[in-house]
Each structure stands twice: as C-alpha cells, then as structure tokens.
Amino acid sequence: MNEINKENINEDNSKNNVLNDSKADEVSSEAAKESIIVRENNFISQSPHIWRGISSAKIMYIFFASLIFPSVAAVYFFGLRALWVMLASTITSVVVELIIKKARKKNFKMDGSALITGLLLALTLPPRIPIWMVVIGAAFSIALAKEAFGGLGYNIFNPALAGRAFLAICFPTFMTQWYLPGNSGIDAVTSASPLGESFVAEGSKIAFYRDLFFGNVAGSIGETSAMLIIIAGILLIAFRIIDWKIPLVYVATVVIMSLIFGEDILFQVMAGGLLFGAVFMATDYVTSPVTGLGRIVFAIGCGLITFLIRRFGAMPEGVCFSILVMNGFTPLIDKYIRPKPFGYVKPQKAKQAK
Amino acid sequence: MTIKRIKFTAGLKLPENKITEHMPVVRLDLPSKVVLPLQQHFGQQCNLLVKKGDTVRTGQIIADSDSFISAPIHSTITGVVSSVFKMINPLANSIVDAAEITASEEEDVQYLPVNQVFEEIKKDLEGFKDNNEAEKYLADKIKEIISRINGLDNEEIISIVKNAGIVGLGGATFPTHVKLRPPKDKQIDSLIINGCECEPYITADHRIMLEYGMQMLIGAYIFYKVLNPGKVYIAIEDNKEDAILNIDSLIAKSGLSKSFCVVSLKSKYPMGAEKTLIKNVLKRKVPVGGLPLDVGVVVNNVGTCKAACDAVLRGQPLIEKIISVTGAVSNPGNFIVRIGTPVSEILKCCGGFKSEIREIILGGPMMGNDINEENFPVTKAVSCILIKRGLPRNEGHCIRCGRCVDICPMNLMPLNYVNFVKNSKFDMCREYHISSCIECGSCAYVCPSAIPIVAYIKTGKSILTGK
C-alpha cells in the first residue's frame, strides 16, 4: 500500500508540473530551477527526454549575427554616423526592455530579441536622423509594440517596423531626408531616395544597377546594399533560421506585379527596402504565420501591398506598411489556413451534399 | 529481394546512441519475485483467477477477461501469490490491480498444449541450450514447418495466440488475436512486420532480427497464414544493415521470396509509428480516427512475431521479453527477462547505476515514461530500460517559429494545443484534431523554447476523454 501512496504523490507532482508551467508568468524560472533541485529525487521528466538544443536565444543570436552584413554596409557607406544610430537604438532597446521587465516584476532574460529589434530599427532609419529621435523610436518599439502586448511571442506587429512607422508619422521631414553615401560632412548633399518620384538616375543604367547592387545609393542606412542582404539571407536560410518561402515569394510577387504594370524589375527589387524587409522583417517568427501555406499567403499579401503603395500610394516606399498590415492578418491566416491532419477525410455530410 | 524506399522522407534525424547494438541477447536469472499488473494491454482489465496464497506455475493463466479486446495474463514464474494490491501504472496513466508472486525454488512449467504436428519439433527445441542451435535447426526444417503451419486451422492459431496472451510488443500492446480477426468487410492485402525501431538507444528488435530471425519469420508466416494477405513487408530502417541482410537471406532460404520482402527505409524518426510506417511502405494514409485495417493493412512488431512462433511451436505463452537496458548503467546490454521482473532486479544484474543519474525511463528517450520507481515491473509494453538524466526544462514563451508545425508527422499544429490547454479551451483542442496526435515527441524535441508540448497534449487528451 505504501507503494501506491508514493506513486500517487509522484503522479500528482508530474501533473502539477504541467499546470504550474502553464502559469509560467507567475513562476519565475529561478524558482522553478530551485524546485527541481529540491525535488531532484522524485522529479519526473516529461517525454521526450532529449532535446535538440537549439534554443530561442541561440536562434536570436544567429539572426543578430547575420545583421552584421547590412551593418557593415551601413558604416561603410554612411560613416560613423550610422554606427551611432545603431548603437543608440540597440542600447535603448535593451535598457527599455530591462526597465519594463523590472517594473512588471518579471524575469529579465537576455535572449537577444531586444538586440535584434534595436538593430533592425536602426537599419531602417535615414543616416542623418537626430539621435534623440532614434531613442524615442527604439523606446516605442520595445515598450508599446512589444512589451505592452506581453513581450516576446505575444506582439502582433513587428516591433522594429512599428517603431519605424511611428517615427515616419511623427517626424515625416526627418524620416524622408536621404543622403548620398560618402557625404559625412556637414555640407552633405540631400538626395531623393531612389524610389522617390523626383529621383532621376544619372549615368548609364548598368552603372546605376551596380550602385544599387553594392549599395552606393541614398536610402536607409542598412537597406542599400542588395548584395550583402542577399548573402545574409542565403546564410539564414542555409542555417534554417528563416523559412525560404517568405523572402522568395515576397520578392517574386513584386517581380510579377512589376511585369504586369511594366515597371523596371531590377530597380523595383533592389531599390528601397524590399530585400531588407523580405529577409529580415517579414520573416520574424512571432508576427508571421506558422504554416507553410500561410507563409506563402502572407508573403504574397506583403508583395501586393508593397507594390500598390509604391505605384499608387503617396509614399515612395511601402515595405514597412505592407508588412505591418500583413502582421495584422497573421492571426486570421493562422486560423483559417491549417494543415490537413494526416489522413484527413472530409466529413460524410460534405460528400453527400455533392 | 530488398525494396528500397530511399526517397526523401519527412522526419527527424536523431542522435542514435544505440550503444547495445552489437551485444548479444543474454538470458537473465529468474527473478525472486514478479509483480504482474492485471492490465498490460490495450483494452479491458483482466479479473484475477487466483487468490493470495495460491501456488502458481510458470505459464499458468492467473487473470483473464471475457471482453473481446483483452489478453490473459500468465504467471511468469513458479511460486506463491504473496499479495494482491492496486498500483499506479505510469505507462498507461491509470490505476490497476496487480499480483505479486514470490518465487519458490523449483521452476515448474505449465505451457499451452501444442498441435501434435509440432510435438516433435517442440521436443527437439527443448533439447537445445543455445539459441543459435535452435535457429539453425529451425532453418534446416523451415520448409517442413511451413507446410505444417499450412495444415493448421486458422481458428486454432488464433486461439493459441489469444491464450498465449500475445499483444503488440512494439509498445501499443493491442491484443494480437483481435488484429488476426479483421471484420468480414475489410479486405487485408498487406501485412507489415515492423522492425524499424526508430527510437534512439533501443536495440531489442534489432537483436531479435539478428539472433531470432528464423523464429521471427516463422511467426510472421503464422500471421500470413491466418490473414492471407498478398504480400508481407518486413520494414527495417537502413541503419540496421546487418538485420536487413540477415532477414533477406533467411527469406531466400525458406523459399518465401514470392510473398515476403524486406523494405529498407530511411532512418528518420518516427518511422516506426504505425501510420507513418504504412505511409512510407505502401503510400497509403490511414484515415483520421481509423485503423490500419481501413486501408487493408495489418502491422505487427517483430517481437510479436517471435512470441507467436514461441506460442505455436513450443506452447510457450508470453512470459518473457527481450529488452535493452541502456544509458548510464554499468553493464548495458540486451536481455531476455521474465515479464513482471521489477526494474530494480534487472538493474542489479546490470551492475547498477553508473553515475549519479537515477532517472529510470521505461521505453525510449522520445516516448518513454520516467517512472521514478525502481520497483515497477517490466510489463508487456516495455522494450527498454533507459537510465538517463531527465530534462529539467526551462520552459520559455512560444515564439511561433513554426518548427513544431513543420515537423509534425500527423500534420497538426502542436503550438496551438499548448495555448488551448493553458487557457482550458478543450473544445478547441478537439477542433484541431488533438486525438490524431501520436505523442511521438518530435515537436517538443525541436521546440526552441523547450516547451514540453507532449505533456500539454497528454493533459488535453486525458481531460477530453474524461479520465
């Protein structure tokens, strides 16, 4: 009989484990660790008892590392100024996250997600933006777009894009002042973004494409170099950090739309933030659908809206808003596009109706 | 002839860790006591036929049930029923009655009667001390045995299988005699013998195919005789090259090449799960909530085949099982143990724990249960005792990366169940087909946030079924 009691308790423990875990918000992970140590003798491990070991934090840091490519391009083309923007944004993000976690009495875990948000935001800003504006944008990204929804995993909109959209609406003049690379002095020459209507390509077309490819054009600090973004994207796909479907379908949609409307395809793809958005922004796990088909639908939506804004909208660039709009659709996509369960047959009624 | 299915197959590539792969099966000494839960199968619990204090013989039926989906329980040693009590079966998550039998000194065997055509073979087999001799003997006589099996009545075979208490030994423990009696309106055209053993660490089925290949094949032939399917596929993962070659040569030797063939499958987890196995071997999909019967297939484990051979040829009921003892034990290996032997006794024979790790997992690392109780017995469902440090999971928030959706062999969305169970939305679980989940653990294995998804799914399932 003794046996039963003992096992009963163990059984209860294992069930409690699950229930406790469900309230993981209340139980800080430190406390959980402690309880494991205390109950080491009768801790029941849940199956499976092995784990691949690729943690969220690891994925985040690999993603962060891939952002080094556009960051290097940013510093190369726009000088130290770009570095200050990136540093300001990243540091603000981490500090704001730390403050909010402490204020909400939650456990702060350095998982790299705030770093990514901060750097992503910086890379989408114009080079000459005042630093205080960068700080405001980064704080908005973390505080309102991410933590207000419940933190990593619960935000509806991509925090970096939300921050950029916020800045674009609040400070439109600063956010649309572009500078040609190489002019780091005070007397820098303002220039239209390649996508701006007033922009006229100088010199031969091939030289212009070359500049677009290597990044020697005006634009946000991280989005100009198509080459480095493509390299980073290929690496991310090879390491299975991002799904190939989103960037590929996104770009393909824009290409097809350009064909239909007779736009310059190479220009549409390489100019502006399309590649940057497709590789780094639209592929954000939290704000994109989880199923393969859902991701394709999401990417097509992004591509269509991007093109429509570029062609018919008031703004020269539509990547940021198109991804934000599709972020809003993500819960719906996940609700209605589900994989068919293995061996699923339509219920009998549907068959008879035919 | 070996069919190769080497095309791209979905699934996980797991670190195999099959450390006991090359260790021959060793017969362990008889245990001093056995604990026999009265429900070791899928279905109705058996009623105890003996009382406390009764003397029982090895192979005597001590519990049985009138229910169709059930299998009798045999005493696995000779001795006295020392106590009858209730215990928790962590494998089935239920409370069952159990009988404890304390061994007396002499072993007294009471096996099932065998058909007179096998009397001679039975006697010969009893004469062999060594399994290799028995294998050689059976291989020599295989043609004769096959013709004798052909002479048997189907009903007789089914009743032998039933009385021997044979259940699916792959882990599902579905009574085998039920599988042998498919409904009249279902045409069975294929029999798959499952020798995949896709879980890491476990090597019991692998050793059966190497050392007991002939007996396994005879068992498969017995099922073939009863079900009369057109084709028998022996499915083996390609990480067991030697087993594939061995079974292939045995098939050729016994002249069964016409209807029997070996299928070499890519070693991906969960290849050995019934539904994925049928899909990969025959390209058929078992419907949601359906059985393999619905697509004309019966699947049996290699261990089940060997047990059927033992029952028909020797009259030996299911009283012993080949298991792997592996992980952090001093002397890992493959052993024949009597069913009901407490885990602690087996571990003692294996030299005990190697290190500080004290966690006992019955089954493989992906689907096994951490039992946390050394006195729990080896039941018919257990094919491995694994000593391994459990995972103290540091559960994070779901980041919706979709890895679980990509990997799920049943095409489900595991991440949703976690949310639904956390928020007690059990109706939604049903809407998302939670019952289709085979609990293979692939989702929790790949989850970057280390969420024990399977535990949530099990909770959701058991609440839905009202357990």
Side-chain angles (χ1 to χ4, degrees):
Chain A
M1 291 300 131
N2 201 7
E3 260 177 43
I4 307 168
N5 290 338
K6 236 199 217 161
E7 294 211 16
N8 245 325
I9 293 163
N10 294 339
E11 196 71 9
D12 285 346
N13 274 345
S14 74
K15 283 212 173 123
N16 282 345
N17 267 351
V18 174
L19 295 178
N20 281 343
D21 284 346
S22 68
K23 293 169 191 159
D25 280 337
E26 275 106 42
V27 185
S28 74
S29 79
E30 252 170 68
K33 250 185 218 160
E34 223 176 78
S35 67
I36 286 167
I37 293 163
V38 171
R39 294 188 290 117
E40 191 151 59
N41 286 328
N42 61 353
F43 161 70
I44 290 190
S45 137
Q46 305 282 359
S47 74
H49 308 279
I50 47 177
W51 185 46
R52 187 188 259 172
I54 300 175
S55 64
S56 310
K58 222 184 227 172
I59 292 174
M60 297 287 179
Y61 286 124
I62 295 175
F63 193 90
F64 186 73
S66 78
L67 283 174
I68 286 174
F69 287 94
S71 307
V72 166
V75 177
Y76 177 78
F77 288 115
F78 297 104
L80 275 180
R81 175 77 199 175
L83 188 65
W84 300 136
V85 173
M86 289 190 283
L87 275 178
S89 178
T90 319
I91 292 170
T92 313
S93 296
V94 176
V95 170
V96 170
E97 173 147 314
L98 182 71
I99 292 169
I100 289 178
K101 288 280 187 208
K102 285 277 179 276
R104 292 175 71 200
K105 296 201 168 61
K106 288 197 175 174
N107 189 31
F108 175 75
K109 208 170 96 191
M110 190 63 193
D111 57 8
S113 64
L115 283 176
I116 291 178
T117 301
L119 190 52
L120 274 178
L121 173 68
L123 291 173
T124 61
L125 297 176
R128 291 304 189 80
I129 187 166
I131 295 294
W132 61 268
M133 235 177 251
V134 178
V135 171
I136 288 178
F140 178 88
S141 287
I142 295 293
L144 278 159
K146 188 173 159 204
E147 289 302 325
F149 286 96
L152 179 66
Y154 299 98
N155 49 308
I156 296 172
F157 298 104
N158 186 324
L161 281 181
R164 190 200 134 89
F166 173 76
L167 289 178
I169 292 167
C170 294
F171 313 106
T173 40
F174 284 98
M175 287 295 285
T176 48
Q177 273 179 22
W178 312 104
Y179 297 88
L180 279 173
N183 299 304
S184 48
I186 308 160
D187 55 344
V189 188
T190 48
S191 155
S193 162
L195 276 168
E197 283 172 64
S198 58
F199 188 87
V200 184
E202 290 160 22
S204 72
K205 248 192 163 181
I206 291 170
F208 177 57
Y209 286 145
R210 196 188 53 216
D211 281 350
L212 276 177
F213 185 69
F214 289 112
N216 194 19
V217 287
S220 300
I221 58 173
E223 68 182 25
T224 56
S225 173
M227 177 184 71
L228 287 177
I229 292 169
I230 291 170
I231 291 175
I234 290 171
L235 284 179
L236 284 176
I237 290 169
F239 281 104
R240 308 215 166 180
I241 303 296
I242 62 174
D243 191 347
W244 58 270
K245 294 188 195 86
I246 292 179
L248 230 63
V249 174
Y250 191 170
V251 173
T253 311
V254 172
V255 167
I256 291 169
M257 290 298 282
S258 310
L259 270 177
I260 293 171
F261 285 90
E263 298 274 350
D264 185 340
I265 295 171
L266 277 178
F267 175 75
Q268 285 291 334
V269 170
M270 290 196 294
L274 177 65
L275 284 174
F276 188 83
V279 170
F280 297 114
M281 294 291 197
T283 53
D284 175 32
Y285 291 147
V286 182
T287 55
S288 65
V290 290
T291 60
L293 186 60
R295 282 174 180 163
I296 291 175
V297 171
F298 173 86
I300 291 176
C302 287
L304 286 180
I305 299 173
T306 302
F307 189 83
L308 290 180
I309 294 178
R310 279 185 178 180
R311 168 95 197 218
F312 303 106
M315 290 170 287
E317 179 56 302
V319 171
C320 167
F321 285 98
S322 70
I323 296 175
L324 282 175
V325 169
M326 290 315 289
N327 283 165
F329 276 110
T330 295
L332 269 183
I333 293 175
D334 270 344
K335 186 163 182 201
Y336 289 108
I337 298 180
R338 298 181 211 161
K340 248 197 233 161
F342 183 91
Y344 182 74
V345 259
K346 273 192 179 169
Q348 286 290 310
K349 274 180 195 167
K351 263 186 192 166
Q352 279 167 0
K354 274 179 193 169
Chain B
M1 188 191 71
T2 315
I3 301 176
K4 278 206 169 164
R5 295 260 194 269
I6 47 167
K7 274 188 194 158
F8 173 78
T9 37
L12 272 175
K13 193 97 194 109
L14 297 176
E16 281 170 6
N17 280 323
K18 304 228 183 214
I19 47 177
T20 54
E21 200 175 5
H22 301 295
M23 298 182 183
V25 177
V26 179
R27 187 177 287 276
L28 283 191
D29 295 337
L30 289 186
S32 59
K33 65 160 194 183
V34 292
V35 177
L36 296 167
L38 300 190
Q39 184 178 27
Q40 300 185 25
H41 49 263
F42 178 88
Q44 196 73 32
Q45 183 180 319
C46 293
N47 302 316
L48 196 61
L49 302 176
V50 293
K51 316 186 288 293
K52 187 177 172 186
D54 282 1
T55 309
V56 290
R57 299 160 74 192
T58 307
Q60 181 184 340
I61 292 182
I62 60 159
D64 204 349
S65 155
D66 297 333
S67 165
F68 178 54
I69 301 182
S70 178
I73 311 279
H74 301 75
S75 171
T76 55
I77 53 172
T78 307
V80 181
V81 181
S82 50
S83 74
V84 177
F85 55 94
K86 279 188 186 299
M87 69 188 296
I88 283 181
N89 181 356
L91 305 179
N93 219 341
S94 59
I95 298 169
V96 291
D97 292 321
E100 188 186 271
I101 299 166
T102 311
S104 54
E105 283 176 14
E106 288 262 320
E107 167 133 77
D108 184 10
V109 180
Q110 179 194 350
Y111 279 177
L112 301 168
V114 297
N115 193 297
Q116 67 235 23
V117 296
F118 292 123
E119 281 295 349
E120 183 195 331
I121 293 168
K122 182 189 176 189
K123 239 173 233 148
D124 287 346
L125 283 175
E126 271 164 9
F128 297 127
K129 282 259 151 55
D130 188 13
N131 171 58
N132 288 343
E133 288 175 35
E135 275 287 299
K136 213 174 269 166
Y137 169 80
L138 288 171
D140 289 339
K141 289 207 150 195
I142 182 70
K143 296 239 159 91
E144 190 188 335
I145 292 170
I146 284 174
S147 70
R148 286 188 185 179
I149 290 173
N150 283 336
L152 291 182
D153 183 36
N154 279 354
E155 282 305 314
E156 188 188 341
I157 295 178
I158 294 175
S159 81
I160 291 175
V161 167
K162 178 168 197 236
N163 291 334
I166 295 177
V167 298
L169 295 180
T173 62
F174 193 79
T176 304
H177 67 92
V178 181
K179 281 188 187 173
L180 294 181
R181 224 191 276 271
K184 287 256 155 55
D185 56 325
K186 301 267 198 272
Q187 190 66 39
I188 302 298
D189 59 14
S190 315
L191 170 66
I192 299 178
I193 306 299
N194 185 353
C196 282
E197 203 160 57
C198 54
E199 282 237 25
Y201 288 101
I202 314 180
T203 55
D205 286 354
H206 187 184
R207 292 316 297 184
I208 289 177
M209 288 186 285
L210 283 181
E211 293 176 50
Y212 296 81
M214 210 62 221
Q215 293 166 53
M216 185 220 101
L217 209 58
I218 292 170
Y221 190 79
I222 291 166
F223 294 143
Y224 173 76
K225 155 80 176 79
V226 176
L227 291 166
N228 197 21
K231 205 96 173 116
V232 182
Y233 301 92
I234 299 172
I236 307 173
E237 282 191 345
D238 58 5
N239 58 353
K240 293 180 263 293
E241 200 74 49
D242 43 357
I244 294 175
L245 292 175
N246 184 39
I247 300 294
D248 214 26
S249 71
L250 288 179
I251 289 174
K253 211 182 271 174
S254 45
L256 291 170
S257 323
K258 252 188 191 165
S259 44
F260 280 56
C261 67
V262 177
V263 182
S264 149
L265 297 163
K266 248 204 152 30
S267 57
K268 286 275 182 82
Y269 184 84
M271 186 58 83
E274 206 167 55
K275 288 182 176 179
T276 40
L277 182 67
I278 294 171
K279 183 186 141 205
N280 281 305
V281 173
L282 292 169
K283 309 254 178 288
R284 293 181 200 169
K285 283 188 173 178
V286 179
V288 171
L291 291 171
L293 288 177
D294 296 330
V295 289
V297 183
V298 169
V299 182
N300 273 314
N301 185 266
V302 289
T304 319
C305 294
K306 184 197 168 275
C309 171
D310 286 342
V312 174
L313 259 56
R314 311 182 205 209
Q316 179 192 348
L318 184 56
I319 55 167
E320 56 185 22
K321 197 167 189 267
I322 296 176
I323 63 167
S324 307
V325 183
T326 177
V329 283
S330 303
N331 304 311
N334 301 293
F335 303 99
I336 295 188
V337 298
R338 289 288 160 95
I339 286 163
T341 313
V343 170
S344 54
E345 282 210 25
I346 296 173
L347 288 177
K348 231 178 271 163
C349 298
C350 299
F353 298 106
K354 194 174 170 182
S355 57
E356 289 298 291
I357 301 164
R358 288 283 181 279
E359 270 153 67
I360 303 165
I361 295 162
L362 289 191
M366 293 297 280
M367 290 182 72
N369 294 53
D370 183 346
I371 55 166
N372 188 29
E373 170 61 74
E374 282 184 34
N375 291 320
F376 191 76
V378 169
T379 67
K380 292 176 182 175
V382 175
S383 53
C384 176
I385 298 172
L386 172 62
I387 309 299
K388 194 185 168 301
R389 157 91 55 229
L391 272 183
R393 288 170 180 277
N394 202 351
E395 185 181 346
H397 295 286
C398 174
I399 56 168
R400 293 171 39 83
C401 64
R403 282 177 169 75
C404 52
V405 182
D406 286 343
I407 204 70
C408 180
M410 293 291 113
N411 294 345
L412 303 171
M413 295 170 80
L415 78 163
N416 285 339
Y417 302 130
V418 177
N419 282 332
F420 295 152
V421 171
K422 274 183 183 174
N423 300 315
S424 307
K425 289 181 185 166
F426 298 110
D427 288 344
M428 293 298 286
C429 285
R430 191 179 284 137
E431 205 189 308
Y432 278 76
H433 304 277
I434 195 171
S435 57
S436 283
C437 172
I438 56 170
E439 296 170 17
C440 66
S442 300
C443 47
Y445 176 77
V446 298
C447 181
S449 295
I451 301 170
I453 304 175
V454 181
Y456 284 107
I457 292 177
K458 281 181 180 165
T459 311
K461 271 183 172 177
S462 59
I463 286 171
L464 274 179
T465 50
K467 240 185 190 175

